[in-house]
Amino acid sequence: MPPRARRGRILAVAIDQKSGQPLYRQIYGHVRQCILDGRLAPGARLPSTRQLAADLRVSRSTAVQAYEQLRAEGYIEGLGGAETRVSGALPDSFLRTAAREPEQPIPLRCSLTPSARARATAASFRRAVPPMGLGPRAFRAGVPAVDVFPVDTWGRIMARRWGRTPARDLAYGDAFGYRPLREAVADYLRAARGVRCTADQVMIVAGSQQALDLAARVVLDPGDKVWLEDPGYHGARGAFTAAGATVVPVPVDNDGLDVMAGRTLAADARLAFVTPSRQLPLGATMSLPRRLSLLEWAATSRAAIFEDDYDSEFRYASRPLPALQGLDRAGCVLYAGTFSKVTFPSMRLGYLVVPAPLIDVFAAARHFIDFHSPYLEQAVMTDFIVEGHFERHIRRMRAIYHERQVLLVNLARERLGGLLDVRPADAGMTVVGWLGGGLDDVATARAAERAGLHVLPLSPLSVRPLPPALLLGYAGVRDDEIREGVNKLAIVLEQAVRSRLPAESMAHHLMAGSVA
Ligand SMILES: Cc1ncc(COP(=O)(O)O)c(C=O)c1O
């Protein structure tokens, strides 16, 4: 005789009325777990649904639903009556393996491809610094003021658009994206950024990160050399490393990427990655002579240039320099921009302007990744731009960001003098603070992280040795958070210097309560 389930055993399901999980799922999950970990043996008899419902004080239909789910998945046999049992057909090996699941990760059986290994290597950068790209926090770089995004306007446009969506827009679309958005982007780029393009050349992408990935797929073969600004953007380094390219770090100075140095290090590179409007992370604007010399190198060596114009909308002191792409007469430049900074990054929309002869090959590359970007976001973004909300929002952001930067720089001068030299920037969403007191930037960033702050150390972004520095983002940080953040940072830095301990061990003092 198979063992009978002890009354009260399964029934001791801790029902949580407030968990948000339907009651039947809670019962189902509990019984399933009992079967998997062997507390209920194959063939064990289960209480009837009537009894189960009475014991757990749930409705009969809830109990029936739980049993139906278990039966559909093959865990039990019979339905509801006295003869409901744990299925006798469950193999022992499955039960033992399943019971081990929570403790032991499944070992990797397939071997990783070289490109997967290259991606993992590129991603290891993320472990060297605190995690990026999460919610806004003092002083997380790269996150815009998402709290002041006009979500009501966006929601209204979205509802209106959805209500009027013609059936044809629910089918597959063009790999380059929704035509009206490409036209709106082309108009904007011609007028605001001096980009020379037609809507045919504009591809809507899932943020500039996808533009980087696409460019790497189309332009690079494994082993090809790529110039990357040093220090430079880790997102670009990751995309090129993942494609199997050899990244050649090229120094930057106050005029941007040093083209002569690039020619000396690797004249035969296939691609150069630059942020000419505002170099990430140091903030220089690439000078005109450097722009022309970069274009000349690319044209003569038949290389491509990836221009990442990621935050040029936020310029406070002077008018933005037009894009490098506007000077290109040889069709070398792939120009990328993003909606991440001017609207919100979780939307994952950006654009890539490709030279006309490359339109078909980029369309083919995109087709085999994800066909194209989702329709609805593109349609809403079109109206957001065409109806003037986009420009209005940028103007508003520009004013807010400028005020936030001034506040941060002034407070840093008052509170962090001698420890962190925070220089004002005439554009963008970040400032650089040069560390004093012989402090190491990675260790200081980790200590700051433990004090509840996020600062990006400069050294993991650079190959050549640079003085230690921290990148501080302010765009998405409210005034009160900036004040509190600077105070916390002052304590972190003062303790590091006073105790003459490496900043890493200093974090323990902070954990012990010096920073609330
Ligand atoms: C240099 C640079 N380019 C581009 C981006 C934006 O990437 P995405 O458009 O994929 O959100 C960032 C984000 O921090 C960046 O720092």
Side-chain angles (χ1 to χ4, degrees):
M1 272 287 280
R4 189 179 190 286
R6 254 194 298 127
R7 197 168 181 276
R9 184 187 227 170
I10 313 170
L11 310 181
V13 183
I15 297 272
D16 180 359
Q17 299 280 359
K18 295 193 191 119
S19 81
Q21 194 185 30
L23 297 182
Y24 89 90
R25 284 297 302 182
Q26 297 185 37
I27 300 167
Y28 152 85
H30 179 80
V31 177
R32 178 179 176 274
Q33 196 53 47
C34 287
I35 295 172
L36 290 178
D37 63 21
R39 277 181 282 165
L40 277 172
R45 193 184 291 166
L46 299 171
S48 67
T49 50
R50 185 187 304 278
Q51 191 187 334
L52 183 68
D55 282 354
L56 298 180
R57 295 199 180 84
V58 296
S59 72
R60 178 92 185 276
S61 66
T62 298
V64 169
Q65 250 186 312
Y67 273 17
E68 272 176 356
Q69 185 70 33
L70 288 160
R71 197 169 73 106
E73 293 180 17
Y75 289 102
I76 65 173
E77 298 163 336
L79 185 58
E83 280 312 306
T84 303
R85 292 174 187 277
V86 175
S87 173
L90 296 171
D92 270 8
S93 59
F94 169 74
L95 294 177
R96 278 199 305 273
T97 319
R100 272 207 320 262
E101 254 172 26
E103 297 93 45
Q104 295 187 10
I106 297 168
L108 181 69
R109 287 189 201 281
C110 59
S111 59
L112 287 178
T113 61
S115 90
R117 268 197 292 271
R119 275 170 224 272
T121 310
S124 67
F125 165 82
R126 296 175 68 90
R127 286 191 284 277
V129 295
M132 272 195 76
L134 306 173
R137 179 182 357 152
F139 295 101
R140 197 187 292 285
V143 183
V146 282
D147 55 327
V148 292
F149 183 74
V151 281
D152 291 350
T153 306
W154 187 265
R156 220 175 29 250
I157 299 175
M158 188 171 254
R160 189 184 66 204
R161 265 293 182 162
W162 195 232
R164 293 187 199 156
T165 296
R168 67 164 187 277
D169 285 334
L170 299 181
Y172 291 107
D174 188 322
F176 262 62
Y178 183 59
R179 182 79 198 185
L181 179 58
R182 294 161 60 195
E183 280 168 6
V185 169
D187 286 347
Y188 168 73
L189 292 179
R190 280 191 300 259
R193 303 294 304 120
V195 172
R196 291 155 56 94
C197 68
T198 64
D200 291 339
Q201 294 168 259
V202 177
M203 177 191 270
I204 304 301
V205 289
S208 14
Q209 197 59 43
Q210 186 175 46
L212 283 162
D213 180 61
L214 273 167
R217 287 171 198 251
V218 169
V219 177
L220 300 175
D221 280 324
D224 280 350
K225 292 178 197 152
V226 176
W227 292 2
L228 191 76
E229 295 166 327
D230 182 31
Y233 180 42
H234 48 280
R237 191 200 310 169
F240 301 137
T241 308
T246 303
V247 169
V248 179
V250 178
V252 290
D253 58 22
N254 288 339
D255 287 325
L257 179 117
D258 183 344
V259 180
M260 280 307 292
R263 280 177 181 269
T264 309
L265 288 163
D268 58 341
R270 299 289 319 125
L271 181 84
F273 170 85
V274 280
T275 46
S277 298
R278 207 181 81 82
Q279 202 273 327
L280 187 110
L282 296 181
T285 300
M286 194 180 210
S287 66
L288 187 60
R290 286 278 176 85
R291 289 175 186 232
L292 295 174
S293 133
L294 180 63
L295 287 165
E296 211 250 327
W297 163 77
T300 51
S301 58
R302 303 172 70 82
I305 297 169
F306 190 101
E307 176 176 17
D308 183 0
D309 203 13
Y310 63 106
D311 70 357
S312 61
E313 288 82 3
F314 304 120
R315 199 155 257 286
Y316 313 118
S318 51
R319 282 180 58 77
L321 263 186
L324 171 71
Q325 194 268 9
L327 299 169
D328 178 23
R329 297 292 175 270
C332 306
V333 177
L334 304 166
Y335 173 92
T338 180
F339 290 116
S340 290
K341 311 296 169 187
V342 281
T343 55
F344 56 99
S346 68
M347 179 167 36
R348 309 309 303 141
L349 277 190
Y351 39 86
L352 175 67
V353 179
V354 304
L358 294 182
I359 291 174
D360 287 347
V361 67
F362 268 93
R366 180 70 188 270
H367 181 85
F368 292 113
I369 298 173
D370 62 347
F371 284 92
H372 56 77
S373 296
Y375 155 77
L376 188 59
E377 281 75 9
Q378 295 188 75
V380 177
M381 182 59 88
T382 308
D383 292 355
F384 195 73
I385 295 174
V386 171
E387 292 170 13
H389 307 293
F390 185 68
E391 292 273 1
R392 222 176 357 264
H393 183 58
I394 292 176
R395 275 200 301 277
R396 187 164 170 232
M397 291 297 92
R398 200 181 286 141
I400 293 176
Y401 293 177
H402 189 215
E403 280 170 20
R404 288 181 176 176
Q405 192 202 119
V406 170
L407 178 67
L408 171 59
V409 171
N410 287 343
L411 287 174
R413 266 198 201 120
E414 282 167 27
R415 291 285 282 121
L416 311 177
L419 296 173
L420 192 70
D421 179 13
V422 178
R423 310 268 172 91
D426 65 359
M429 300 159 62
T430 53
V431 283
V432 179
W434 299 96
L435 271 168
L439 296 176
D440 171 76
D441 57 3
V442 171
T444 306
R446 290 214 175 110
E449 181 78 16
R450 288 171 219 186
L453 297 174
H454 181 102
V455 291
L456 195 61
L458 187 64
S459 57
L461 303 181
S462 66
V463 172
R464 70 197 152 120
L466 284 175
L470 303 174
L471 199 63
L472 308 181
Y474 53 81
V477 193
R478 291 192 319 263
D479 289 5
D480 57 319
E481 293 167 333
I482 291 178
R483 285 196 185 86
E484 192 189 59
V486 170
N487 286 338
K488 281 186 180 178
L489 198 53
I491 296 170
V492 169
L493 297 172
E494 279 157 12
Q495 289 219 356
V497 171
R498 199 177 322 122
S499 62
R500 297 276 174 226
L501 289 172
E504 182 92 71
S505 44
M506 180 202 65
H508 298 296
H509 296 267
L510 296 170
M511 293 300 284
S514 352
V515 173

